[in-house]
Amino acid sequence: MIQALRGMKDIMSPQNETFTYIVETASKIAKRYGYEYIETPLLEETQLFKRSVGESSDIVGKEMYQFIDKGGHDVCLRPEGTAGIVRAFIQNKLDKRGGVHRFYYHGPMFRYERPQKGRLREFHQFGCETFGEESVYEDFTIILMIKDIFDALGIKYTIKINSLGCPECMPGYRESLVSHLSDIEDGLCEDCQRRITTNPIRVLDCKVAGCKTLLESSPVIVDNLCEKCDTDFGRLSALLTSHGIEYELDPKLVRGLDYYTKTAFEFVSTEVGAQSAIAGGGRYDRLVEFLGGKPTPAVGFALGIERIMELVKLPQREREGLYLGVMQEQALEKILKIAHKKRSLETVHVEYSARSLKAHLKAADRMGVRFCAVIGEDELKNSQIWVKDLQNKEEMRVGIEEF
Ligand code: HAM
């Protein structure tokens, strides 16, 4: 038997209900914050991710679904959504138009990771990206929006924030970090030793216990920010505090993608096991320019839908829709006509086989519909239909035309 690939899942009943509830709730909130829907291709030029997410990142270095297509192009399935949206933003010349543009999206992302609970090879993200807004108030507003989304879904979280500085303060910090790392190099794991030259900042969030201990005394970015970055980061912290939003300052939060500048944040759940990051994002003021567009500040986030699926509390579902059945086959024509008319108003399920009333009621109840309507022998003779409201438990017999 052919099975789905490792780390890839079918989303079927009953999880499909939670999945769509998450997407609908997040979309509704994002729209209220002024975001409009964007859909970009799943397949992009590999170069796009190499240049944005970064060649030294694990995502690009180890986890891409990359291949040469029939036309000889080096392409890959998107490992994340931001790069494609930046490409679309530039390609559609929105960078030249100026102003603020806000997009939300959801869909599958692909990373060839080692699958485990909460970590898949095909997973789904919901995300938002704002272009053209330099103000740190936007960073705050995005964090507030994610909070609104998780609150609406009934999910508990901790917020971690950090600042990764800008081209003015980052190089100086990087130098002092590299110098510190070189001193402790021998005690670091192989990955970290390699990262000293390729991507020293990433060393900071190494999970290996030995590295963690050695890194305790390493210089941190927030102590080395330039005045502008420091002021903005201070303002973000103050805004969160004044709005009663609890957060943790995590100077070692560096994110796994290379495009970030200034604000970086993560929402972490205490309820989902090892893979606890349920959303992440930050500012990426340099990326539009880096990919060939006009310099445009940008900030965004994405949340992992599968990671929160088990935590979501679905609201009590109201009975809805109509179930139609017959007790004799001759009545089927009539039922099909009714079904077609009723479908302009509500969801209609039709049972084609003639069954007893009891069997129809049982099936209708299982489907969670509000009404069960059946044509029996008497009803067929009198052009009537028998209807039961499964919520109020009321029964009636009405003329088919009237129904
Ligand atoms: P990310 O932190 O790589 O950021 O992914 C965002 C979220 O996607 C994570 O917090 C996690 O919930 C989920 N996720 C990541 N990998 C997996 C996986 N293998 N299986 C299941 N869930 C996963 C980004 O992707 C950035 N594009 C976010 C962003 C948008 N930054 C700015 N704008």
Side-chain angles (χ1 to χ4, degrees), residues 81-271:
T82 311
I85 293 172
V86 174
R87 184 212 31 78
F89 177 78
I90 300 167
Q91 193 176 333
N92 290 282
K93 300 191 172 53
L94 297 179
D95 55 331
K96 307 258 170 7
R97 208 193 284 173
V100 178
H101 302 267
R102 292 190 175 86
F103 301 105
Y104 77 90
Y105 57 96
H106 48 84
M109 309 292 159
F110 303 85
R111 297 183 192 174
Y112 198 85
E113 298 195 76
R114 198 169 45 77
Q116 62 178 84
K117 191 171 180 330
R119 189 160 74 193
L120 294 158
R121 288 183 174 168
E122 181 185 10
F123 60 98
H124 296 76
Q125 284 185 347
F126 175 92
C128 288
E129 314 292 347
T130 301
F131 295 95
E133 185 50 85
E134 194 184 6
S135 167
V136 71
Y137 287 100
E138 186 69 9
D139 310 25
F140 163 72
T141 305
I142 285 189
I143 293 176
L144 192 65
M145 175 173 62
I146 307 168
K147 175 185 151 40
D148 280 356
I149 294 172
F150 285 144
D151 288 351
L153 294 170
I155 290 173
K156 295 196 189 67
Y157 50 80
T158 307
I159 304 174
K160 294 187 173 182
I161 61 166
N162 192 19
S163 175
L164 300 176
C166 68
E168 206 169 295
C169 45
M170 189 39 126
Y173 166 70
R174 205 181 150 108
E175 234 171 74
S176 59
L177 179 66
V178 169
S179 142
H180 174 81
L181 295 176
S182 308
D183 291 345
I184 56 168
E185 184 169 355
D186 291 347
L188 295 172
C189 72
E190 247 176 59
D191 266 352
C192 284
Q193 289 186 357
R194 188 173 34 81
R195 284 188 184 129
I196 295 177
T197 39
T198 58
N199 196 353
I201 314 296
R202 280 308 306 277
V203 174
L204 289 177
D205 82 337
C206 181
K207 304 286 181 281
V208 175
C211 295
K212 268 184 162 176
T213 318
L214 276 174
L215 289 163
E216 265 164 25
S217 57
S218 60
V220 290
I221 320 171
V222 280
D223 294 338
N224 292 272
L225 296 175
C226 63
E227 206 185 322
K228 173 89 174 88
C229 288
D230 195 43
T231 309
D232 277 347
F233 193 51
R235 191 162 290 155
L236 175 65
S237 312
L239 277 166
L240 292 170
T241 306
S242 72
H243 279 75
I245 302 173
E246 281 178 33
Y247 65 91
E248 242 172 64
L249 170 62
D250 180 353
K252 299 220 162 91
L253 173 72
V254 294
R255 312 271 303 124
L257 308 97
D258 288 353
Y259 48 62
Y260 294 107
T261 49
K262 301 182 88 173
T263 309
F265 58 81
E266 257 170 28
F267 279 61
V268 176
S269 164
T270 41
E271 303 170 86

